[in-house]
Amino acid sequence: MGTYFKNIWEGIWTVLVGMKITWSHLFTPAVTIQYPDVKLKLPERARNRLYVNMDDCIGCDQCAMACPVDCITIETLKSTPDVDLGLTSVGTKKRLYVPRFDIDIAKCCYCGLCVPPCPTECIKMTDVYEFSEYERNNLIYRYATMTPAEIDAAKTKLAAYEKEQAEKKAAAPPKPAAPAPARVPVGAKPAGVPAAKPVSSPAPAPVDPPENPENKS
Amino acid sequence: MKEFLIDILQNEILVYVLMAAVPLVWIIPFALFAVWWERKISAHMQDRLGPMRTGGWHGWAQTIADILKLIQKEDIIPAAADRKLFNLAPYVVFVGSFAAYAAIPFSAAYVGSEINIGLFYILAVSSFVVVGLLMAGWASNNKWSLFGAMRAAAQIVSYEIPVALSLLAVVMIVGTFDLQEINRAQSGYFWNWFVFQKFPLLFVAATIYFVASLAEVNRTPFDIPEAESELVAGYHTEYGGMKFALLFLAEYANMFAVSAIAATVFFGGWNSPFGDFMSGPVWGLFWFISKGMAFIFVHMWLRWTLPRLRVDQLMYVGWKVLIPFSFVIVLGVGFWVMLAR
């Protein structure tokens, strides 16, 4: 009987204690942040939307290689020697056109791994986090600044230049072959003797690989 | 009010329709307001803000937007449900809670029907709600709904006894079931209210009534018929759109009905707490509604304070605590009234 009344008394008393607590919270200022109206300041170095400063991009593809989810797609186009693409803000000479630099931000996992490899610090994570879209394709950000016409012009120019170079090479084969023996010790002997022979001959075949980088660039 | 309306309208039927429409005109804005109020109170008790955007000032139009949405919603009836009962149940529930308003004295000048068994009528007709709840739970053909309905029935049947007994204590003092008479017996200053009479017997009776009425309207901590965490939503799991709105409306109407009875029987009804100061039919309406709303606030306050009782605990509180205590009070008040005569 004693515990019965004690339980009732404790029941009433604890209800009153609870009511006192909730009453005091009724007048405690709310902790809610009314998001679209009030926005919290993001911490320094918060990782949100990626931004690429195309003026500084040298098309090195390092960020695309670092990306764990492959959300960056870069295409580059060689420039001809007569074109000056300018310098980046850190003084690197730009040698490549970048006709395509796409970031599929829907795939991005905001890891920030693409930022440190960039030699010119042109890719970075900003504090912009409101970029929802109604179309999924709108989330593919195209940072390339070249217009299709410019790309076409660059392509035809490059093709013409390469053709010219190939013709030049075909016309004057000894020229590229001459320094080859000096740089390539192996196979120098066979290369040096039949120097007059054009590239098509099977003999200088071992010499070809070291020559290749020079031909291509 | 009735005589006055008959005088100016010269049409008795029209007057009766008007008189019956008054509580309805009160219930709907009240429910809209109370839902918003509850959301704000719950939010602030949890250090949140609650609805803030709809309508501008503190989201006051949120529930209006909600009800407009509910009206537009598709009316879905589950394939396995008993269509007739399923459709009928919300109306039965609402009629049950609306019928109680017929005898509730809103003011000295207005009571839907001034009958000398007003309190008795309210107790009887509010049990009608259980039929509707059982109907809803059974017709839904859903185990959660049925569980909820069974629990609601068990709970309401158990708690009707302490409700009736605690009200009986007051009825013994006044000697009538007429709610207007009970109001008039408490006129004067607030110490004439029955809650402060025959101290402490009627104070305990008022507490018992309040706790039991909380259980009767299925509010936390006695909300096991709805028990979101166990039964999805209890008996109204399968309801949507306007029918759900009607069940919800009935729930809030019930809340106000039990609060109004508590205010009338124990807290002086439409009487001003300060004698003749601010008294009269219109002030009476003001006092009555403020007292009712104060109880509604306590309902909400308790809801956001206490956890839900288990079924066995619910039965313990009902049968082993409230009923013996209310018997003791009925006995005590009976002796007091007899000996003091």
Side-chain angles (χ1 to χ4, degrees):
Chain A
M1 207 62 188
T3 48
Y4 172 79
F5 285 110
K6 195 166 159 274
N7 283 344
I8 291 171
W9 173 248
E10 267 183 6
I12 295 168
W13 181 249
T14 48
V15 166
L16 291 177
V17 169
M19 284 171 89
K20 193 185 150 213
I21 292 170
T22 39
W23 178 260
S24 70
H25 275 275
L26 194 54
F27 302 103
T28 311
V31 294
T32 310
I33 289 139
Q34 290 188 271
Y35 160 62
D37 302 335
V38 183
K39 285 173 190 169
L40 278 189
K41 200 178 169 292
L42 286 178
E44 226 181 312
R45 302 201 284 167
R47 298 200 304 259
N48 289 290
R49 175 148 78 176
L50 274 171
Y51 173 73
V52 182
N53 181 5
M54 283 310 284
D55 290 347
D56 279 359
C57 181
I58 56 169
C60 65
D61 209 31
Q62 301 250 38
C63 50
M65 283 191 282
C67 182
V69 292
D70 291 341
C71 70
I72 305 175
T73 314
I74 298 174
E75 274 172 17
T76 52
L77 202 59
K78 279 181 288 182
S79 65
T80 48
D82 57 318
V83 186
D84 183 18
L85 286 174
L87 299 177
T88 64
S89 58
V90 291
T92 320
K93 191 174 182 337
K94 294 207 276 184
R95 293 164 201 279
L96 297 167
Y97 288 113
V98 187
R100 183 170 173 210
F101 195 121
D102 292 354
I103 294 178
D104 189 346
I105 206 77
K107 282 190 205 162
C108 180
C109 66
Y110 306 98
C111 59
L113 288 179
C114 51
V115 177
C118 183
T120 60
E121 292 178 13
C122 72
I123 185 163
K124 54 184 173 267
M125 305 209 91
T126 60
D127 58 358
V128 182
Y129 52 89
E130 296 159 309
F131 44 92
S132 56
E133 292 283 355
Y134 289 101
E135 276 293 319
R136 192 176 300 179
N137 280 341
N138 292 350
L139 284 168
I140 301 175
Y141 294 151
R142 301 179 195 282
Y143 285 102
T145 48
M146 290 175 82
T147 61
E150 281 171 344
I151 296 169
D152 277 347
K155 268 185 184 161
T156 45
K157 201 172 178 193
L158 180 68
Y161 174 76
E162 271 175 351
K163 205 177 152 201
E164 191 189 312
Q165 288 297 98
E167 273 167 8
K168 225 183 245 176
K169 196 182 146 200
K175 206 185 168 195
R183 274 188 281 149
V184 187
V186 185
K189 221 190 281 172
V193 186
K197 262 269 159 205
V199 200
S200 55
S201 90
V207 195
D208 255 14
E211 246 172 10
N212 263 345
E214 207 180 289
N215 266 356
K216 277 222 165 124
S217 60
Chain B
M1 186 169 165
K2 196 170 85 185
E3 290 73 23
F4 173 70
L5 281 176
I6 290 173
D7 265 2
I8 55 166
L9 290 172
Q10 302 293 337
N11 184 342
E12 234 173 290
I13 293 169
L14 191 66
V15 168
Y16 282 124
V17 169
L18 273 179
M19 295 279 280
V22 170
L24 200 62
V25 172
W26 159 246
I27 288 172
I28 291 167
F30 158 75
L32 289 178
F33 171 74
V35 172
W36 173 80
W37 203 33
E38 172 139 38
R39 290 179 67 178
K40 294 306 274 190
I41 286 176
S42 67
H44 283 284
M45 281 186 175
Q46 295 167 350
D47 296 353
R48 298 182 286 116
L49 287 170
M52 285 299 279
R53 299 192 75 80
T54 321
W57 185 79
H58 283 260
W60 65 271
Q62 183 61 52
T63 42
I64 297 169
D66 287 348
I67 196 76
L68 288 177
K69 186 202 103 182
L70 282 173
I71 289 171
Q72 291 170 43
K73 272 184 94 168
E74 182 189 5
D75 185 28
I76 297 170
I77 300 168
D82 185 330
R83 287 184 74 95
K84 268 184 206 154
L85 288 182
F86 188 84
N87 286 329
L88 191 61
Y91 301 103
V92 173
V93 174
F94 184 70
V95 165
S97 51
F98 181 54
Y101 280 78
I104 289 178
F106 276 81
S107 137
Y110 176 77
V111 53
S113 164
E114 199 168 350
I115 41 176
N116 56 6
I117 52 160
L119 196 54
F120 188 66
Y121 163 78
I122 290 174
L123 285 179
V125 86
S126 59
S127 312
F128 205 52
V129 174
V130 190
V131 179
L133 297 188
L134 260 179
M135 216 184 231
W138 182 264
S140 298
N141 210 350
N142 169 322
K143 57 191 167 198
W144 308 124
S145 302
L146 186 58
F147 267 136
M150 299 300 263
R151 285 179 178 193
Q155 179 174 321
I156 293 174
V157 167
S158 316
Y159 279 79
E160 210 125 79
I161 302 161
V163 163
L165 285 173
S166 54
L167 295 176
L168 196 62
V170 169
V171 170
M172 279 194 298
I173 295 168
V174 190
T176 173
F177 276 117
D178 189 338
L179 282 164
Q180 289 290 44
E181 274 310 314
I182 292 172
N183 270 331
R184 278 178 214 121
Q186 301 177 79
S187 61
Y189 288 87
F190 61 86
W191 51 81
N192 287 341
W193 294 355
F194 280 131
V195 67
F196 302 122
Q197 297 286 305
K198 309 254 184 295
F199 197 82
L201 291 179
L202 286 186
F203 184 79
V204 178
T207 314
I208 289 172
Y209 173 77
F210 186 75
V211 173
S213 71
L214 214 55
E216 253 204 298
V217 294
N218 304 330
R219 296 280 302 181
T220 321
F222 305 105
D223 69 335
I224 60 161
E226 279 180 45
E228 301 94 336
S229 45
E230 305 163 35
L231 299 183
V232 190
Y235 55 85
H236 55 60
T237 304
E238 297 288 356
Y239 284 90
M242 210 47 221
K243 284 182 200 138
F244 172 76
L246 213 56
L247 284 171
F248 217 64
L249 188 68
E251 206 175 301
Y252 277 85
N254 265 334
M255 261 169 82
F256 187 78
V258 297
S259 304
I261 295 164
T264 307
V265 174
F266 292 105
F267 289 84
W270 38 257
N271 283 303
S272 161
F274 318 112
D276 283 337
F277 178 64
M278 287 169 88
S279 70
V282 179
W283 279 116
L285 189 69
F286 165 77
W287 287 117
F288 176 78
I289 285 174
S290 341
K291 285 168 187 173
M293 291 314 257
F295 281 108
I296 300 272
F297 173 75
V298 181
H299 277 195
M300 292 170 179
W301 186 4
L302 279 169
R303 175 166 178 189
W304 300 102
T305 303
L306 299 175
R308 184 183 308 128
L309 265 70
R310 236 168 29 220
V311 181
D312 64 313
Q313 290 168 335
L314 178 96
M315 289 299 155
Y316 181 93
V317 172
W319 291 99
K320 285 186 163 176
V321 180
L322 296 184
I323 291 178
F325 269 78
S326 46
F327 269 121
V328 168
I329 281 160
V330 166
L331 216 63
V333 172
F335 275 120
W336 196 321
V337 170
M338 285 239 318
L339 296 176
R341 188 176 284 170

